[in-house]
């Protein structure tokens, strides 16, 4: 992907993150109405993908099938059950796991960029995501909609910083320099 496109995408993410950070309750309420249908749609896509496979291999169909069933269940549970929980599991807990997982994914990709000038930016973004996830996880019973909105906004800003770091690496052609040993 072109570094200019990544930079624009990072700017859009940062702008959305700032907007969400300063309007946390209204955004959380809006998102709560949309998320159940997105989960049902994503689950349906997984299940259709399993059903329409050309090669029927049970081992490679089990996990996507389970993910599809879970996504549909989560969406229907949010829409027609308690809007603050997916079955017995609360949304703040799931959000915390998502933040920690995203942060760990960033941190696992960072060692490949150790020689980069933007290493600290990439590392900081991953650390911020994990810390936000841990804060949400350990206060999950007391988390309010406003707090979740602020955390979501900060996570979007951290994602924008990570994307900016990758765009700047590409702009500076650091991959090519590292391949040449420079």
């Amino acid at each position: 992907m072109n570094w200019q496109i990544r930079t624009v995408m990072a700017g859009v993410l940062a702008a959305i993150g700032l907007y969400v950070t300063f309007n946390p309750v209204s955004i959380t309420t809006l998102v709560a109405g949309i998320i159940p249908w997105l989960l049902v749609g994503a689950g349906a896509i997984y299940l259709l993908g399993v059903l329409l496979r050309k090669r029927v291999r049970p081992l490679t169909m089990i996990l996507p099938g389970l993910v599809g069933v879970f996504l549909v269940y989560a969406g229907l549970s949010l829409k027609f059950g308690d809007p603050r929980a997916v079955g017995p599991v609360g949304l703040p807990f799931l959000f915390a796991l998502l933040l920690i997982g995203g942060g760990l994914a960033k941190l696992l990709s960072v060692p490949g960029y150790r020689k980069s000038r933007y290493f600290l930016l990439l590392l900081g973004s991953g650390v911020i995501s994990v810390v936000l996830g841990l804060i949400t996880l350990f206060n999950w019973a007391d988390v309010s909609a406003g707090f979740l909105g602020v955390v979501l906004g900060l996570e979007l800003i951290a994602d924008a910083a990570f994307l900016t770091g990758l765009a700047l690496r590409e702009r500076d052609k650091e991959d090519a320099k590292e391949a040449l040993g420079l």
Side-chain angles (χ1 to χ4, degrees), residues 108-155:
L108 289 173
S109 69
V110 166
Y113 305 127
R114 189 166 286 153
K115 294 180 181 179
S116 173
R117 295 187 314 169
Y118 308 105
F119 174 75
L120 291 177
L121 177 66
L122 299 169
L123 180 68
S125 173
V127 168
I128 287 171
S129 295
V130 170
V131 168
L132 288 173
L134 290 174
I135 290 170
T136 305
L137 181 66
F138 290 121
N139 291 325
W140 72 273
D142 302 323
V143 173
S144 68
F147 177 76
L148 286 179
V150 170
V151 169
L152 176 62
L154 293 174
E155 174 62 14

Side-chain angles (χ1 to χ4, degrees), residues 72-124:
V72 170
Y73 170 74
L76 294 175
S77 174
L78 286 173
K79 189 62 184 169
F80 299 113
D82 182 5
R84 294 166 294 158
V86 175
V89 181
L91 280 182
F93 180 74
L94 291 176
F95 186 52
L97 292 180
L98 180 70
L99 290 170
I100 292 170
L104 290 176
K106 290 177 194 174
L107 290 175
L108 289 173
S109 69
V110 166
Y113 305 127
R114 189 166 286 153
K115 294 180 181 179
S116 173
R117 295 187 314 169
Y118 308 105
F119 174 75
L120 291 177
L121 177 66
L122 299 169
L123 180 68

